Amino acid sequence: MLRTKLSALRTANNWEIEDVANSLEISAEEYAKIENGKTRLTIDIARKLSELYRIDPEYFFTHEAVAIHKNEGQGSNSNSGHITTYNNNGNLTELIEKLLKTLEKRTNS
């Protein structure tokens, strides 16, 4: 599921693996491994990706259906830019924040 999300976001922005890797300040090979599911997504990379794509970090940790649409129309009614939707269970954000804090404490110990 994560592979599909990462690939879909990158493709929706017409970016190459190298473009995303450069934004994350990692090698293209390292990012390709993350996108292909060979390397786990770290909290740090998830945060950087969420900033890059302007989405909540929880997006990368959910298993909900995803719809991404890149509208490049013109005019005031074009709604230009990509639209990302996913179901959000009200407590999911809170649970993910707790998980991220716990994982940070473990890595800092």
Side-chain angles (χ1 to χ4, degrees), residues 1-2 5 57-64 66 86-88 92 96:
M1 182 63 99
L2 180 61
K5 290 179 180 184
E58 71 183 38
Y59 169 77
F60 301 109
F61 303 101
T62 61
H63 297 287
E64 302 295 335
V66 176
Y86 55 95
N87 294 333
N88 185 3
L92 184 58
I96 290 174

Side-chain angles (χ1 to χ4, degrees), residues 44-62:
D44 184 49
I45 297 295
R47 284 188 178 146
K48 288 179 181 180
L49 285 167
S50 70
E51 291 172 10
L52 177 66
Y53 293 119
R54 291 181 241 170
I55 58 176
D56 291 328
E58 71 183 38
Y59 169 77
F60 301 109
F61 303 101
T62 61

Side-chain angles (χ1 to χ4, degrees), residues 34-100:
I34 294 169
E35 189 172 295
N36 292 322
K38 294 179 181 175
T39 300
R40 284 185 173 223
L41 179 67
T42 65
I43 295 168
D44 184 49
I45 297 295
R47 284 188 178 146
K48 288 179 181 180
L49 285 167
S50 70
E51 291 172 10
L52 177 66
Y53 293 119
R54 291 181 241 170
I55 58 176
D56 291 328
E58 71 183 38
Y59 169 77
F60 301 109
F61 303 101
T62 61
H63 297 287
E64 302 295 335
V66 176
I68 298 176
H69 173 70
K70 177 123 175 145
N71 181 351
E72 296 184 13
Q74 297 180 5
S76 61
N77 293 327
S78 69
N79 296 322
S80 295
H82 75 273
I83 300 167
T84 305
T85 60
Y86 55 95
N87 294 333
N88 185 3
N89 181 343
N91 294 326
L92 184 58
T93 302
E94 184 179 321
L95 291 173
I96 290 174
E97 285 300 318
K98 287 180 184 179
L99 174 64
L100 291 173

